[in-house]
Amino acid sequence: MASGSETVSRNVLIVVPVLNEASHIETVVRNLARDSLDEDRTIVVADGGSTDGTPDIVRQLGKEIRGVHLLHNPQRLQSAGVNLAVQVYGAAAQVLVRCDAHCEYPADYVSSLLKTLDERKTDSVVVPMDSRGDGCLQKAVAWVSDTKVGSGGSAHRGGKQSGFVDHGHHAAMTIDAFRKAGGYDETFTHNEDAEFDCRLRALGGRIFLDSDIRLSYRPRSSFLSLAKQYFNYGRGRSRTVRRHPGSLRLRQFLVPTHVALTLGGIVLSPAAPLLLTLPAAYLAILALTAMMIAAKRRSICGLLALPAAVVMHFAWAIGFFWGILSIRQTTWQMTPSVS
């Protein structure tokens, strides 16, 4: 799908889907707007019905900064917000940049993405996320998220190596590739980016991870919000792997398998105490990881990596199983309309 020709001047559509992001949205929009682009730039904040003053902040920014627009997203979902922004503002655009209100963007973020799109002759550029935290628990979640224990070695979680990948944190793609793949599936509340990448690759699209373009991301700051987040991640992934069976990776298979075996071992341990070996080994690995994080970061907060990892693993697995049991999903088939 990627074209070998370079475009001298492009219209860039930057979309930021939000819901109640009054504390972050101004900083994000101003950082994106200060990028010294030679391209025409439109920044669309797709708001899903915020009640905290986010729309008023965006309207004021629109008066100060040329090309900033507020778009009401009645479906509230991020996937629907991006699709709607492309439909309303993307007629003249050649490149789509998707941003998130919880990330910190460097001043040259968009221009760097465009450079990589050109140099790599790729359809999509994805980037690594470096987790950052303020409070003790948030720091622990951030630190463990960037380890193999937390992410299973996912390339876009603190990854240091550039290259073509199956999936990554969405950053920029050509509008042509986005439309050919059919946009985001608005029935997905989570994991819509990974599901999209499956379709993009099936159509011959290429995805390049640029490890030199990095984002800072602040994870959840409570165990409850972390559990909800990872439950939704697991539920979304359960749909993706059934819609695209070849997309399941070993690290994703191991999490629900491990949780099922661990819970089974605990339940059956009164009859067979040796079955406690697996959960004991699991806790030992997490304890060692937490101590190593605490030593490396020189912070006792690192010890919270143990319970944080348990919450992440078990919530993801339970969400995965729940999605399989509660959500019907058929296998995706390429049709002439999108081929």
Side-chain angles (χ1 to χ4, degrees):
M1 291 177 66
S3 171
S5 61
E6 295 188 6
T7 307
V8 176
S9 180
R10 290 161 294 193
N11 186 300
V12 180
L13 174 63
I14 305 170
V15 184
V16 190
V18 298
L19 178 63
N20 292 326
E21 297 290 356
S23 59
H24 301 101
I25 190 60
E26 181 173 359
T27 300
V28 168
V29 171
R30 290 192 183 279
N31 283 348
L32 293 171
R34 69 180 180 176
D35 195 324
S36 56
L37 288 174
D38 293 329
E39 332 284 344
D40 293 326
R41 170 182 47 209
T42 301
I43 300 176
V44 177
V45 178
D47 184 81
S50 297
T51 58
D52 66 344
T54 298
D56 293 333
I57 295 172
V58 176
R59 291 189 189 98
Q60 183 59 41
L61 289 169
K63 295 177 182 179
E64 299 178 23
I65 305 172
R66 183 178 65 86
V68 173
H69 303 275
L70 175 68
L71 176 66
H72 176 55
N73 173 22
Q75 294 193 51
R76 300 171 68 88
L77 298 176
Q78 293 187 4
S79 54
V82 177
N83 286 350
L84 183 60
V86 171
Q87 178 183 342
V88 176
Y89 291 96
Q94 286 82 43
V95 178
L96 168 65
V97 176
R98 174 176 172 173
C99 296
D100 187 282
H102 282 271
C103 292
E104 297 176 9
Y105 295 95
D108 60 347
Y109 178 68
V110 178
S111 55
S112 296
L113 292 173
L114 297 178
K115 181 180 179 182
T116 301
L117 273 174
D118 287 343
E119 291 180 347
R120 296 295 176 173
K121 306 294 189 294
T122 187
D123 300 285
S124 173
V125 177
V126 295
V127 297
M129 294 190 297
D130 298 316
S131 297
R132 300 283 185 268
D134 294 322
C136 202
L137 176 57
Q138 193 177 47
K139 289 179 180 179
V141 174
W143 293 335
V144 77
S145 293
D146 289 341
T147 68
K148 289 187 177 181
V149 166
S151 65
S154 176
H156 66 281
R157 288 287 186 177
K160 305 295 183 183
Q161 185 174 353
S162 297
F164 287 96
V165 295
D166 291 340
H167 170 60
H169 180 73
H170 279 194
M173 67 184 77
T174 66
I175 286 283
D176 181 58
F178 184 78
R179 288 182 173 136
K180 284 184 178 179
Y184 291 120
D185 187 328
E186 297 178 10
T187 67
F188 276 67
T189 60
H190 295 78
N191 213 231
E192 77 284 348
D193 51 351
E195 192 282 325
F196 173 89
D197 283 345
C198 290
R199 285 183 279 125
L200 179 64
R201 295 196 321 275
L203 293 166
R206 302 200 304 164
I207 304 167
F208 186 81
L209 173 72
D210 192 331
S211 63
D212 294 327
I213 308 174
R214 311 190 70 85
L215 300 181
S216 293
Y217 171 79
R218 298 192 181 278
R220 300 299 189 268
S221 57
S222 73
F223 285 121
L224 180 59
S225 60
L226 183 67
K228 289 180 178 178
Q229 179 187 31
Y230 274 78
F231 176 88
N232 287 326
Y233 283 169
R235 184 174 60 177
R237 177 59 66 174
S238 78
R239 287 195 63 192
T240 299
V241 299
R242 283 177 292 149
R243 195 175 194 196
H244 307 277
S247 68
L248 183 64
R249 296 294 175 259
L250 178 61
R251 65 177 184 273
Q252 296 155 356
F253 173 78
L254 288 177
V255 174
T257 301
H258 158 73
V259 168
L261 291 175
T262 296
L263 292 177
I266 293 173
V267 170
L268 298 175
S269 62
L274 282 177
L275 292 176
L276 290 176
T277 302
L278 178 60
Y282 171 62
L283 289 177
I285 292 172
L286 293 189
L288 178 60
T289 300
M291 288 187 288
M292 292 175 63
I293 290 174
K296 178 181 179 180
R297 303 291 179 171
R298 298 183 178 181
S299 171
I300 197 172
C301 293
L303 297 179
L304 287 175
L306 191 160
V310 171
V311 169
M312 292 159 66
H313 295 160
F314 276 72
W316 195 98
I318 293 170
F320 186 87
F321 290 131
W322 181 256
I324 290 177
L325 294 173
S326 64
I327 305 174
R328 297 182 62 183
Q329 181 61 63
T330 58
T331 302
W332 178 77
Q333 299 290 336
M334 188 183 303
T335 62
S337 61
V338 296
S339 61

